[in-house]
Structure formats: structure tokens, C-alpha cells
Amino acid sequence: MKSAAVLPVIAAAEPVLGANSGQKFARPVVVSTWDSGMTANAAAWRILKAKGRAIDAVEAAARASEEEPSCCVGLEAYPDRDGYVTLDASIMDHRSNCGSVVYLQQIKHPISVARKLMETTKHVLLAGDGALQFARENGFEVMPRKLSADAEKEWKEWLKKSEYKPVINIENRKISQNEKSAPYTINGAVNHDTMGTIALDAGGDLSGACTTSGMAFKMHGRVGDSPIIGAGLFVDNKVGAATSSGVGEEVIRICGTHLIVELMRFGYSPTRACREAVRRIVDRDRAAAKEMQVGFIAISRTGEVGAFAIQSGFTYSVTNSGTSKVFASDSIFKAPPQQPGS
Ligand code: SD4
């Protein structure tokens, strides 16, 4: 279980179940996975409210997540089974430009390496040593190899059994709002490893970014959905954008976010499109799906926001000029999942 985390301050409340289902938000608007999406949204909003571009906003959102240990995605996140933190990230803009890095180590902001790749090369995806070399050549600092104290402790605990079993991702937190400038107190587990952000800017353009440390204690070299365009992230400026969190293998199998955007193209609302993607995962193997989490968020080009997940406990954060809230996604299985370790 990831340890209880303290988030930076931004207006939030107890998640509201399905309260925004089908709700349209005036642009600019930014949507991120999880409660900790509020950290990402705060960074994105600084850009969006000044009429900045969605692509800059989503990069800033991912950087903020990579920087904030409680978002559980950057160099302080959980390692693979051999004790290496290997990061994946992807970014996509309103013109379908995209960039991804996979299996990148020792770089604090993989999302910015992905953007650099997108903007300065003819390639879309760089892996491992090549991605690290590209980062180094472009002035990114190579950080020392070092696990955070929390990650090291959990990894050593995990090594005792060395059993790879993805836990159901949730942010089952009790958020108590202290006075304005104090951090929220979080009692509960944060056990996801991915932050996805999609944004619609004042000019009507969409972009998305997704950054992850991947599934905790994965095989060395394993890559999930987050850096795969069409799986963990997809944007089509004429239609909408979507991103995901959860067991990446399941999302890759159904090309999850591409599926969602295509369904929206043919008239599905964001919520219905996310539900259909989840349904395909569950239909493939219902018993297996009961033991795992996948959640999707989506936004249409007109600002309608939706989400759906396999399990309850998937939340997402929405920020625009009138809203800064965490919502609880609807799900196929309704029972609250067990906290890891409970
Ligand atoms: C992956 N989708 O690497 C990511 C993991 C994740 O919350 O979302 N964890 O498969």
C-alpha cells in the first residue's frame, strides 16, 4: 500500500458520485485522473486561465504530478521487481502530434522528454537507453539512482513473497478541509501509479498527457498503456480526448482511449463511451475483472466530461472557472474495494 499522502492545497471536496455525469463545462477546462489530479489541475489551470494552450497546460499538469510524491508517478514512486524505477509518459496535441518515452530511468520529467521528442524529431516513441541518451543530449539532468524511503520499504516487503498481483487502484481517502492555507489531511491509501490529464483550452483546442511509474513491482522492462498512443491516451481535436489509469495490459488489449474517442465520434457521450470501453474489458474475463481496476476519463470538444471504471473508488478532478472538484466515477462493480493490506 502506498502510504498516506498529503496533497497541496486546492479547492476540493468529498467526491460526488456521478454528479457530473454528462455535464458540460465551459472552456477552458482541465480534467485529471484521481483526487491527486487536483495537483495536476492546479498547474494546468494557471496556464489555461491566462488563455494559454492546452498542450502547455497538460505538460505542466504532468510535471506537477511527477514532482509531487503523493501523486505516486515520478522518481519517488514504486520500482519494478528488480528495484528500478522505470517511467513511461505520453503527450498528444490538437494536431495529433504525439510523443512518448518508455522504460526511462533517472529522469525527473519524462513528460517533457516526450514533448521534446514530439516537437524536435520525426519520431513518436523512444525507449530505454535511447530515450535516456536523447534526454541527456537535450539538457535533462540525469538523477542518481535512488529509491524513496517509502518505495524501498514497500519493495523490500514485497520481495518477501515476490508475488506480482496488481492491487485494485483506488484513492479511498477521507479528506478533511483545514483552514485555507493548510494542507489537507489524507487518511487512506493512494495506490495508483499513473496521472492522466486532458484539457480543452480557451481557443477550443484539446491536448492530453499521461505519466506513470507503471504497475508496482512489474517485470523489469514491462511497459503499460500510459505511453501507448490510443491505449492510455488519445486526442482528436474534432471529437474529444481520453486517458486511463489501471491495469495497462487490459487497456492495451482494447486500444481503450482510441476506442472511446471513436465511439464519441459516432455519437456516444463521454460517459457512455468510457462505459463501453470498460464493458469490453469486463466481458472478456469477468472473474479476472473483479480483481482489478481500470478507469477512463474523457472530454468532448464541447466540454462534456465523463468517466467510468471497473470498480468503485476511481475518482477524477475537474477544474474550470466555476468548478474545482473531485468526482467519483460510476463503475460496473459497485462494492467499495478493499484497501490493500486490510
Ligand atoms: C500501467 N496504467 O502501467 C498503468 C498503471 C496505473 O495506476 O495506471 N496505475 O499499466
Side-chain angles (χ1 to χ4, degrees):
M1 173 173 96
K2 290 197 171 166
S3 54
V6 177
L7 287 184
V9 191
I10 178 167
E14 285 294 319
V16 194
L17 179 61
N20 87 329
S21 194
Q23 194 175 323
K24 211 183 240 189
F25 292 88
R27 68 185 201 224
V29 56
V30 55
V31 189
S32 295
T33 50
W34 305 111
D35 308 21
S36 29
M38 280 296 184
T39 300
N41 283 9
W45 185 245
R46 280 193 282 279
I47 292 168
L48 292 173
K49 77 170 185 223
K51 296 205 163 35
R53 297 162 66 209
I55 187 67
D56 296 325
V58 296
E59 183 193 8
R63 285 178 67 94
S65 307
E66 289 163 353
E67 190 107 37
E68 169 54 49
S70 67
C71 291
C72 310
V73 299
L75 287 176
E76 298 202 24
Y78 283 12
D80 64 19
R81 68 180 190 183
D82 296 340
Y84 298 99
V85 176
T86 71
L87 305 176
D88 305 328
S90 63
I91 191 160
M92 190 163 188
D93 76 6
H94 61 293
R95 301 187 63 210
S96 299
N97 294 309
C98 48
S100 301
V101 288
V102 304
Y103 183 63
L104 179 61
Q105 299 179 58
Q106 296 176 266
I107 295 290
K108 195 168 172 189
H109 291 301
I111 197 67
S112 296
V113 183
R115 183 167 181 186
K116 194 84 189 168
L117 179 73
M118 169 176 98
E119 291 183 337
T120 64
T121 78
K122 293 199 183 311
H123 300 313
V124 160
L125 201 162
L126 276 188
D129 285 352
L132 183 61
Q133 183 185 333
F134 175 77
R136 196 186 279 119
E137 284 167 7
N138 282 280
F140 290 86
E141 187 184 356
V142 179
M143 309 298 285
R145 241 184 235 292
K146 189 175 181 321
L147 294 181
S148 68
D150 175 45
E152 183 155 14
K153 181 166 156 270
E154 294 299 329
W155 174 56
K156 288 195 168 145
E157 193 54 39
W158 178 84
L159 280 176
K160 290 180 187 162
K161 283 196 185 154
S162 299
E163 210 181 338
Y164 178 72
K165 189 172 181 303
V167 291
I168 291 173
N169 295 144
I170 44 170
E171 272 193 18
N172 197 1
R173 303 158 153 192
K174 297 241 176 309
I175 303 171
S176 62
Q177 211 164 344
N178 300 332
E179 75 252 32
K180 243 183 168 179
S181 58
Y184 292 125
T185 310
I186 311 291
N187 302 309
V190 183
N191 73 347
H192 62 78
D193 323 273
T194 301
M195 289 296 311
T197 298
I198 44 185
L200 177 64
D201 66 24
D205 283 333
L206 289 160
S207 290
C210 190
T211 186
T212 188
S213 54
M215 302 297 288
F217 317 129
K218 62 194 176 186
M219 284 174 70
H220 190 57
R222 178 266 188 193
V223 172
D225 59 320
S226 309
I228 308 296
I229 297 298
L233 177 70
F234 196 68
V235 177
D236 185 322
N237 215 41
K238 288 201 176 76
V239 181
T243 188
S244 64
S245 189
V247 178
E249 284 76 2
E250 298 303 318
V251 179
I252 291 173
R253 279 190 186 101
I254 61 155
C255 297
T257 55
H258 182 260
L259 170 65
I260 288 166
V261 172
E262 286 308 297
L263 290 169
M264 285 161 60
R265 188 191 308 280
F266 292 105
Y268 279 54
S269 69
T271 306
R272 193 169 161 227
C274 291
R275 190 200 305 126
E276 172 61 19
V278 169
R279 200 185 58 76
R280 289 199 193 179
I281 293 171
V282 173
D283 280 358
R284 195 179 78 82
D285 188 339
R286 196 174 174 86
K290 277 201 167 139
E291 305 295 318
M292 69 173 77
Q293 178 66 297
V294 170
F296 292 103
I297 58 171
I299 185 169
S300 74
R301 58 180 284 278
T302 59
E304 188 178 337
V305 172
F308 214 83
I310 299 179
Q311 314 284 345
S312 66
F314 177 58
T315 56
Y316 58 103
S317 304
V318 183
T319 300
N320 78 347
S321 59
T323 306
S324 200
K325 263 195 199 144
V326 175
F327 295 95
S329 163
D330 204 352
S331 56
I332 301 268
F333 302 119
K334 311 285 186 195
Q338 295 282 301
Q339 291 275 354
S342 66

Short mmCIF file of all heavy atoms in Angstrom, two decimals, residues 169 192-194 212 214-215 222 224-226 245-248, ligand 1:
data_model
loop_
_atom_site.label_atom_id
_atom_site.label_comp_id
_atom_site.label_asym_id
_atom_site.label_seq_id
_atom_site.Cartn_x
_atom_site.Cartn_y
_atom_site.Cartn_z
N ASN A 169 -6.69 -0.31 -7.92
CA ASN A 169 -6.33 1.10 -7.69
C ASN A 169 -7.51 1.87 -7.16
O ASN A 169 -8.59 1.87 -7.74
CB ASN A 169 -5.91 1.78 -9.01
CG ASN A 169 -4.65 1.19 -9.60
OD1 ASN A 169 -4.56 1.10 -10.81
ND2 ASN A 169 -3.71 0.81 -8.78
N HIS A 192 -2.40 4.12 -6.73
CA HIS A 192 -2.26 4.11 -8.19
C HIS A 192 -0.87 4.59 -8.57
O HIS A 192 -0.12 5.05 -7.72
CB HIS A 192 -3.33 4.98 -8.85
CG HIS A 192 -3.22 6.42 -8.44
ND1 HIS A 192 -2.27 7.26 -8.98
CD2 HIS A 192 -3.90 7.15 -7.56
CE1 HIS A 192 -2.39 8.45 -8.44
NE2 HIS A 192 -3.37 8.42 -7.55
N ASP A 193 -0.56 4.48 -9.84
CA ASP A 193 0.80 4.82 -10.28
C ASP A 193 0.79 5.71 -11.51
O ASP A 193 1.81 5.83 -12.19
CB ASP A 193 1.57 3.53 -10.65
CG ASP A 193 1.22 2.38 -9.73
OD1 ASP A 193 1.86 2.27 -8.69
OD2 ASP A 193 0.29 1.62 -10.05
N THR A 194 -0.36 6.27 -11.85
CA THR A 194 -0.49 6.98 -13.12
C THR A 194 -1.30 8.25 -12.94
O THR A 194 -2.30 8.24 -12.22
CB THR A 194 -1.22 6.10 -14.15
OG1 THR A 194 -0.48 4.90 -14.32
CG2 THR A 194 -1.36 6.78 -15.50
N THR A 212 3.56 7.95 -15.78
CA THR A 212 3.41 6.80 -14.87
C THR A 212 4.75 6.19 -14.50
O THR A 212 5.72 6.27 -15.26
CB THR A 212 2.54 5.71 -15.53
OG1 THR A 212 2.24 4.70 -14.57
CG2 THR A 212 3.22 5.05 -16.70
N GLY A 214 4.34 3.03 -13.88
CA GLY A 214 3.90 1.68 -14.26
C GLY A 214 3.41 0.91 -13.05
O GLY A 214 3.43 1.40 -11.92
N MET A 215 2.96 -0.29 -13.29
CA MET A 215 2.46 -1.10 -12.18
C MET A 215 3.61 -1.40 -11.21
O MET A 215 4.70 -1.78 -11.64
CB MET A 215 1.89 -2.43 -12.70
CG MET A 215 0.76 -2.29 -13.71
SD MET A 215 -0.72 -1.49 -13.07
CE MET A 215 -1.36 -2.75 -11.98
N ARG A 222 8.93 -4.11 -18.45
CA ARG A 222 7.50 -4.09 -18.78
C ARG A 222 7.04 -2.65 -19.06
O ARG A 222 7.41 -1.71 -18.38
CB ARG A 222 6.71 -4.68 -17.62
CG ARG A 222 5.20 -4.68 -17.80
CD ARG A 222 4.56 -3.45 -17.17
NE ARG A 222 3.11 -3.52 -17.16
CZ ARG A 222 2.32 -2.48 -16.90
NH1 ARG A 222 2.84 -1.31 -16.65
NH2 ARG A 222 1.02 -2.61 -16.90
N GLY A 224 3.40 -0.41 -19.89
CA GLY A 224 1.94 -0.49 -19.84
C GLY A 224 1.28 0.36 -20.91
O GLY A 224 1.86 0.63 -21.98
N ASP A 225 0.07 0.78 -20.63
CA ASP A 225 -0.73 1.52 -21.61
C ASP A 225 -0.39 3.01 -21.69
O ASP A 225 -0.59 3.64 -22.73
CB ASP A 225 -2.22 1.39 -21.26
CG ASP A 225 -2.51 1.92 -19.86
OD1 ASP A 225 -1.69 1.69 -18.93
OD2 ASP A 225 -3.55 2.59 -19.67
N SER A 226 0.10 3.56 -20.59
CA SER A 226 0.20 5.02 -20.48
C SER A 226 0.98 5.69 -21.61
O SER A 226 0.58 6.76 -22.08
CB SER A 226 0.79 5.41 -19.12
OG SER A 226 0.09 4.77 -18.09
N SER A 245 -6.32 4.98 -16.31
CA SER A 245 -5.48 4.52 -15.20
C SER A 245 -5.93 3.11 -14.85
O SER A 245 -7.10 2.77 -15.02
CB SER A 245 -5.63 5.46 -14.01
OG SER A 245 -4.67 5.14 -13.02
N GLY A 246 -5.00 2.31 -14.37
CA GLY A 246 -5.35 0.93 -14.01
C GLY A 246 -4.44 -0.06 -14.71
O GLY A 246 -3.36 0.29 -15.17
N VAL A 247 -4.90 -1.28 -14.80
CA VAL A 247 -4.06 -2.36 -15.35
C VAL A 247 -3.88 -2.15 -16.87
O VAL A 247 -4.79 -2.37 -17.67
CB VAL A 247 -4.68 -3.75 -15.08
CG1 VAL A 247 -3.83 -4.85 -15.70
CG2 VAL A 247 -4.81 -3.97 -13.58
N GLY A 248 -2.68 -1.72 -17.23
CA GLY A 248 -2.41 -1.29 -18.60
C GLY A 248 -2.60 -2.36 -19.65
O GLY A 248 -3.03 -2.08 -20.78
C1 SD4 B 1 0.28 0.83 -16.24
N1 SD4 B 1 -1.78 2.06 -16.36
O1 SD4 B 1 1.49 0.94 -16.30
C2 SD4 B 1 -0.52 1.98 -15.66
C3 SD4 B 1 -0.65 1.76 -14.19
C4 SD4 B 1 -1.65 2.59 -13.48
O2 SD4 B 1 -2.48 3.33 -11.51
O3 SD4 B 1 -2.49 3.25 -14.03
N2 SD4 B 1 -1.63 2.58 -12.18
O4 SD4 B 1 -0.32 -0.19 -16.59
#
